[in-house]
Structure formats: C-alpha cells, structure tokens
Amino acid sequence: MISFLDLKAINAQYQKELVEASKRVIESGWYILGTEVETFENSFASYCDSKHAIGVASGLDALILIFRAYKELGILAENDEVIVPANTYIASILAISENNLTPILVEPDLNSYNIDPKKIEEKITAKTKAILAVHLYGQSANMTAINQIAKKYNLKVIEDAAQAHGATHFGKKVGSLGDACGFSFYPGKNLGALGDGGAITTDDKNLATTIMALRNYGSHKKYENRYRGLNSRLDEMQAAILSVKLKYLDESNKKRGHVAKTYLKEIKNPKITLPKIMPNNQHVWHLFVVRTKEREALQKHLFKNGIQSMIHYPIPPHKQVAYKMFESLNLPITESIHDEVLSLPMHECLSDKDVATIIEVINDF
Ligand SMILES: *Cc1c(COP(=O)(O)O)cnc(C)c1O
C-alpha cells in the first residue's frame, strides 16, 4: 500500500538528532518554559522574518490566543465580526467563536482554494474588525489584496499558517504577511512535532507580551496575574524536537515540491482538475488536492490499486452540527469543493517509483 502520509519514515530520517535532543531535555531536569522553548522561538521567529514567536500548546490555541490578546488589549470586543474563508479547517472558525466573536464565512476562489478577496468587501459591516486569512493546503492566500482591504477598513489581519510553514507571497514568508499569525506543529503538518504544539508570530511587541502572559495563566510575573489566562505552553521536549526539524524544513518542502511538480507535469486525465500555483506564490504542498466530479470512483480506483487518498474536508464548517446556525448559508463554491476534492499521497519520503505508480493509476482512471 502506498500510504497517504508516512510519519514514521519522515521522523526516522532525523532519528539520531531527535534522540539526542530528547536526551538533552530529560537530563536537563527542566521541562516547561525553559531554554529549549526560547531557542526554538528565536529560530522560528527568524525563519518567519518576524520579530516575535511565542510557543503554545497547539495550532488552535495559537489562533485562540491571538483573538483573546486583541480582546485584552481593547482592539477586539465580543460580538465583533471576523471574516474567514468558508472552506477552511474547522479550527480557524473555532478560534473565532471561542472568543465570542462572530465568524463571517466568505467563499473561496476556485483556483487557489483560498478566500476570494473580491467577495470580502460585500461582507464588511460596522462590526467587522478583522480578517482571518487561511493559507490552505500550503499556499498563501492573496495577502496583497487582503491587506489592501484591511487598510481601507482599518481591520486587523490574522494569518492561519497551520498548513503553510515556509510558503511565501512575493518572496515574503507567511507568518510575516499580516498583524499576527498562528502556526500548528501537529505531527502531520509540514513542520511537525512528536505531539501537539503551535506558535504565534508577530512584529507587535504589545501583542507578543500579552500572549506570553495569556499562555501562562495570564501571568507576566510568577504568582501575579493580570489576565484570566490559560495553560497553553509548548513544552521543552517538543521545542527541542522542533529545533531539529526546523533545520530541515526547507529541504523537506523542496522534496514535496518535487513530488508536486511531477504530479502536475504527468497527470493527464480530463476528469481531473489539478491544483494551481497562483502568481508570486511559493507553494509548500502540505496537501496535493485534485478535484473531480467522480470522487468516490477515483478514491475506490486508487484504493484498489494500493494507493491511499484522503478528503480535506468531507463536511464544510457551515454543515457541521457544531455550527447549526450557519446551516442555511448559501455557499455553493465551498460546497462543491467539499463534494469534489481528493488529496493524493504527499510527503517528503514518497519515492519517485511510488509517484510514478500513482500517476499511472490516475491516468488510467
Ligand atoms: C491543523 C490546523 C489547525 C489547528 O492546529 P492544531 O495544532 O491541530 O490545533 C488550524 N488551522 C488549520 C488550517 C489547520 O490545518
């Protein structure tokens, strides 16, 4: 079976260094908020061309804490509206509603699968205070257009780069394209820990220090609490692991790029729509997502030939039980995407031989 993702093979490449890093943490006797987290935060901030990076417990928490910090700073208030793409992973929307802010779902552009900037302005009201731009599948949203709109209406721009570590837009790294950005280090992401983890990047010092307090019970100083905070910290062990893997992130994204390039060049089947790289973007191929009217048949055909595939995502957020109030929204592009997308195997350890097999099987469909 050609697996969709092979985390074991991915991490085996770095086994020696990962073991050394773990040993260093075990022997240090210090496991929460120490030098490993600080070292990783510094290198990750610099990787993202950002002034600050704050390690937290997950990607969802990273986004939750950005909104929460803006509330504590008086920049956002309960019931403010936040524009978000309708076809994102549910976590983007959870982060908004968790803060009692109102998600305003906007349709994506069918070429990029990212929010369609042309559809943002019609959704802006007096209550709109922010845009949460998601870089879905590994490609930056159109941040040039989004930032222009944000400037015109004085909105905060928050990035969700959980799927796009290392991607660029006009040569600028995601994580530095808005006011603040949330990253996830869930094991299957382009930069994955061996457990949960996340980070926020920002150039805003005020925001960074507020988030640093919020992730640690709301405390700037031990036993003094300014906010009613959370316990949401990246731990020393995951930070040490991530420091190893960050060194290889560009190389690993390059290998994904090689797989994607081969798929794009050699998959030739009129029933299948291939993903597109939008101008001035560097895609990091978190997922290689094709579209077809015959998804079920294609998935079966792949499986029969020993190839695993997945759907990202089968149910759009507005059709989830958790968001019943959005059930009747008219979002035909989002719905057609959820009906037609299929993700092909994509990871840095996929062999040329397996890629060739996958292409052959798809062209045969
Ligand atoms: C994975 C993901 C998240 C959440 O990250 P976790 O670390 O799993 O909490 C948020 N947004 C998007 C787009 C994601 O893909």
Side-chain angles (χ1 to χ4, degrees), residues 71-278:
K71 279 167 69 189
E72 295 293 353
L73 292 169
I75 290 163
L76 294 180
E78 300 218 340
N79 302 316
D80 281 349
E81 294 176 355
V82 179
I83 304 264
V84 63
N87 62 321
T88 184
Y89 179 57
I90 195 87
S92 321
I93 295 168
L94 290 172
I96 299 169
S97 57
E98 177 64 24
N99 278 289
N100 297 320
L101 302 163
T102 308
I104 301 296
L105 307 183
V106 171
E107 289 262 66
D109 160 36
L110 204 45
N111 288 312
S112 67
Y113 301 121
N114 281 322
I115 194 165
D116 187 344
K118 292 192 298 293
K119 300 201 171 124
I120 293 178
E121 274 192 271
E122 64 199 54
K123 293 291 172 73
I124 292 177
T125 71
K127 284 186 152 188
T128 311
K129 294 289 153 56
I131 301 173
L132 176 55
V134 183
H135 308 310
L136 203 68
Y137 304 152
Q139 166 161 237
S140 173
N142 185 348
M143 296 306 288
T144 309
I146 291 168
N147 283 328
Q148 263 165 16
I149 297 166
K151 198 165 168 200
K152 182 167 165 196
Y153 293 92
N154 194 25
L155 312 175
K156 286 287 172 197
V157 175
I158 297 143
E159 299 170 79
D160 178 345
Q163 302 189 359
H165 319 67
T168 64
H169 178 67
F170 281 96
K172 274 196 82 187
K173 286 258 173 66
V174 303
S176 70
L177 298 168
D179 295 297
C181 178
F183 285 90
S184 162
F185 306 125
Y186 178 79
K189 308 287 184 179
N190 289 42
L191 178 59
L194 304 183
D196 275 313
I200 294 108
T201 55
T202 182
D203 282 347
D204 180 342
K205 182 149 191 277
N206 239 346
L207 186 75
T209 51
T210 307
I211 292 172
M212 281 173 78
L214 282 170
R215 76 170 169 184
N216 194 31
Y217 313 111
S219 166
H220 282 89
K221 198 174 158 201
K222 206 167 167 96
Y223 303 127
E224 287 181 26
N225 298 72
R226 190 174 295 174
Y227 313 112
R228 296 171 200 168
L230 280 76
N231 175 347
S232 180
R233 301 169 301 214
L234 181 68
D235 60 71
E236 291 281 284
M237 190 62 96
Q238 297 309 332
I241 300 287
L242 287 165
S243 287
V244 172
K245 293 188 72 179
L246 180 58
K247 290 190 293 178
Y248 301 104
L249 176 58
D250 285 342
E251 201 180 308
S252 137
N253 281 341
K254 210 187 250 174
K255 288 183 191 161
R256 287 171 181 269
H258 170 72
V259 173
K261 214 166 130 188
T262 317
Y263 279 155
L264 287 173
K265 201 168 111 210
E266 295 179 18
I267 295 178
K268 288 192 176 81
N269 186 326
K271 290 180 186 165
I272 286 162
T273 307
L274 294 167
K276 293 176 186 69
I277 307 170
M278 304 314 283

